Amino acid sequence: MPLLDLQKLTDGLSRTWAGFLRGWDRSLRAGNYPETTRYNYLLAAAQLGRFLGECSPDPDADGGADDPCAVTRVHVEAFQAWMIETRSASTGLNKHKGLQQVFKWLLVDEQAIDRSPMDRVRQPTTSRKLIPVLRDEDTSKVLDACKGRGLANLRDEALIRLLCNTGVRRSEVGNLLVADVNLNTESVRFHGKGAKDRRVRFGPKTARAVSRYLRVRDKHKGAALPNL
């Protein structure tokens, strides 16, 4: 099932809002933007439209709920503040970046507005949190839990070792194809955000775990599937 369902995303919005969002998605697809990026951008705009339909933060300009071209700076700031209060500062920052793109499209590409309501809207500040790293003994416990000769055991060990050895995103390991692994060079090609591929080397223990998994996988009924 695709991540981006425009019908569901525009549910509850005016016909004008929905029409603009369909046009923007068409423009994003033409620019070869990944589906996840398109979804995040469109979601921010749709959430702004629904927010304005439920409240009126700018009494002097109530048309924003019906038409994105009528959105004002006050509308955006109220929506952004609401996102920070009900979600988090990082979510508010994510919505800020998405709205910058939609109003840039309305201004530059569509020439539907004379000025972006994002002008002089402050970008939310966020605190940088250190992500705790698993200790060696904890990693060993996780690997011990994978011990066994079954397909699932060998698969899990290969997954854990790839994650630990390369430090990539979980989704990048999850989206790997069999063709992405090269045991001759002990490397793997990851498909990163923004359609940016890169090849990463891994160590001998990881190579052994991946090799063992592939040997058992070759005998499985799903061996013909491209996904690793």
Side-chain angles (χ1 to χ4, degrees):
M1 183 177 180
L3 171 69
L4 206 166
D5 183 343
L6 263 180
Q7 186 66 38
K8 183 177 180 181
L9 205 60
T10 57
D11 185 45
L13 296 177
S14 70
R15 291 183 62 183
T16 305
W17 262 99
F20 270 119
L21 292 191
R22 282 194 294 270
W24 188 32
D25 183 54
R26 184 168 55 249
S27 177
L28 292 172
R29 284 188 283 112
N32 197 30
Y33 281 76
E35 186 185 32
T36 51
T37 300
R38 287 165 41 219
Y39 174 76
N40 285 328
Y41 282 175
L42 290 160
L43 179 62
Q47 287 175 323
L48 171 63
R50 278 190 282 271
F51 171 78
L52 296 178
E54 295 174 2
C55 63
S56 179
D58 189 354
D60 296 327
D62 285 334
D66 298 318
D67 188 344
C69 297
V71 171
T72 68
R73 176 186 172 186
V74 173
H75 290 149
V76 174
E77 288 180 332
F79 170 72
Q80 194 166 283
W82 175 73
M83 273 291 170
I84 294 171
E85 292 165 2
T86 59
R87 272 77 164 184
S88 66
S90 59
T91 300
L93 177 60
N94 179 273
K95 303 306 174 184
H96 179 94
K97 292 178 178 178
L99 294 178
Q100 279 182 322
Q101 297 303 314
V102 65
F103 288 114
K104 179 182 177 181
W105 174 73
L106 287 172
L107 176 67
V108 178
D109 294 17
E110 295 298 294
Q111 298 182 353
I113 55 178
D114 298 322
R115 183 177 182 178
S116 171
M118 298 301 295
D119 287 353
R120 301 195 312 278
V121 175
R122 293 185 178 183
Q123 182 173 289
T125 58
T126 58
S127 56
R128 184 178 293 273
K129 297 180 180 179
L130 290 177
I131 299 174
V133 178
L134 278 176
R135 298 173 300 176
D136 289 344
E137 52 265 37
D138 293 325
T139 303
S140 296
K141 291 178 182 178
V142 174
L143 289 171
D144 285 342
C146 300
K147 284 184 176 179
R149 297 185 178 182
L151 178 72
N153 301 94
L154 296 173
R155 177 204 61 197
D156 291 350
E157 181 180 354
L159 279 169
I160 298 300
R161 288 197 180 278
L162 274 173
L163 286 167
C164 292
N165 202 175
T166 61
V168 298
R169 295 180 178 88
R170 180 181 57 184
S171 60
E172 291 178 325
V173 173
N175 292 329
L176 282 176
L177 304 177
V178 175
D180 293 327
V181 176
N182 188 330
L183 290 173
N184 292 325
T185 59
E186 295 187 350
S187 65
V188 60
R189 181 178 63 190
F190 288 112
H191 308 284
K193 292 179 67 177
K196 296 177 182 177
D197 290 1
R198 65 193 188 283
R199 185 163 289 279
V200 180
R201 296 287 300 273
F202 48 75
K205 290 184 179 180
T206 301
R208 182 173 58 187
V210 172
S211 179
R212 285 175 173 173
Y213 164 63
L214 287 174
R215 284 199 298 270
V216 174
R217 183 188 181 281
D218 286 341
K219 301 174 184 177
H220 190 266
K221 62 181 179 180
L225 294 174
N227 305 84
L228 182 62

